[in-house]
Amino acid sequence: MMLTCQKDELSQPPVKGLKNKPMNVVEENYTRFYYVDEKNHLDCYVDKHYNGLYLIGLAPSHPVRRLPCKIMRVDFEINKRSVDDFQVSGKKKAKAVKVQSDTKLCRIDVQLQSNSTNDNHNANTPTTAEPQQCASFLCCAGLTGKVIEINTRLMQSPSVLEENADVDGYVAMIERFDSAKIRGQKNKPGQFRRQKNAQLVEEALLDADQYAEYLRKYNFQPISPSNCYLSTY
């Protein structure tokens, strides 16, 4: 049966409140939480998928996203781990790297930018170039589980963290320890303890409202880089 519309029906304005752009894959399929480090603020977002997988990335309060800097390098080869260690295969991902919430996934090398200018500088006075200060910050796992995938694109194009940290700039994909039970696999010795710990860690994550309160609490004024390795070129 063919449907017909009157001319005045076609001229009606569209429904108000609809998004003028389609949701990206993260907005559509994931729920965002936040893991916060109140000592060094190496905070990360934790995007939870209904299938038990999580995407980990830098939260807006992480120093790399908060400080004026240029990202130079993302290095997953830390703590005697190599990129090859993150390669997994098989349904059970038995050889996957196991992590705790505070396990460091990668190191991010940045070149710090200065916001200050000397307005009283005499134009006739010769200037000397100041050495550019560099820093390295760490990204935590935020969850207890095993790493299914790292975002190797960041190694070739670290600028993705500057351009689209919330979607394409995720650092790793992690499977929580208790997801094996969800898939119907048998429990192994010690697995119940790992499942319980993983559940407690996830329950400690902040939702959007709690994270907004966390941001207001610290106000995040410009700071000297903390928990990083400082050097100069």
Side-chain angles (χ1 to χ4, degrees), residues 27-28 58 73 130 146 159 167:
E27 292 175 326
E28 185 176 3
L58 304 184
R73 183 187 182 196
E130 295 183 359
K146 49 188 179 182
S159 61
V167 182

Side-chain angles (χ1 to χ4, degrees), residues 75-82 104-107 138:
D75 188 1
F76 288 93
E77 296 190 350
I78 61 175
N79 297 334
K80 299 181 179 180
R81 288 196 312 259
S82 68
K104 308 305 183 288
L105 291 175
C106 68
R107 188 184 73 244
L138 300 169

Side-chain angles (χ1 to χ4, degrees), residues 36-194:
V36 296
D37 168 16
E38 298 207 33
K39 180 179 179 181
N40 299 302
H41 303 299
L42 300 178
D43 307 328
C44 63
Y45 64 75
V46 179
D47 288 343
K48 179 181 180 180
H49 196 275
Y50 65 86
N51 65 2
L53 297 180
Y54 300 74
L55 293 181
I56 310 299
L58 304 184
S61 51
H62 191 285
V64 169
R65 296 186 63 179
R66 180 161 42 89
L67 297 176
C69 63
K70 180 178 180 180
I71 299 174
M72 308 300 293
R73 183 187 182 196
V74 177
D75 188 1
F76 288 93
E77 296 190 350
I78 61 175
N79 297 334
K80 299 181 179 180
R81 288 196 312 259
S82 68
V83 174
D84 292 338
D85 292 333
F86 289 103
Q87 301 296 323
V88 297
S89 61
K91 184 177 180 180
K92 296 183 179 181
K93 310 293 190 300
K95 295 184 179 180
V97 174
K98 296 178 176 60
V99 294
Q100 302 295 322
S101 59
D102 58 351
T103 300
K104 308 305 183 288
L105 291 175
C106 68
R107 188 184 73 244
I108 305 166
D109 300 332
V110 303
Q111 177 180 302
L112 300 176
Q113 309 291 329
S114 175
N115 282 334
S116 62
T117 58
N118 187 0
D119 296 331
N120 297 323
H121 174 69
N122 189 334
N124 297 323
T125 303
T127 61
T128 57
E130 295 183 359
Q132 294 179 329
Q133 194 177 42
C134 293
S136 294
F137 297 95
L138 300 169
C139 174
C140 298
L143 279 178
T144 299
K146 49 188 179 182
V147 180
I148 302 303
E149 172 189 305
I150 58 173
N151 189 359
T152 55
R153 179 182 176 186
L154 300 181
M155 295 188 293
Q156 287 79 36
S157 303
S159 61
V160 174
L161 279 176
E162 299 174 343
E163 300 163 357
N164 197 4
D166 287 313
V167 182
D168 296 332
Y170 75 94
V171 173
M173 179 184 294
I174 293 179
E175 180 183 62
R176 220 179 77 167
F177 278 132
D178 63 349
S179 58
K181 183 178 179 180
I182 295 176
R183 293 198 305 267
Q185 298 177 6
K186 294 181 179 180
N187 286 332
K188 296 181 179 180
Q191 186 172 356
F192 177 79
R193 175 179 52 81
R194 291 195 296 268

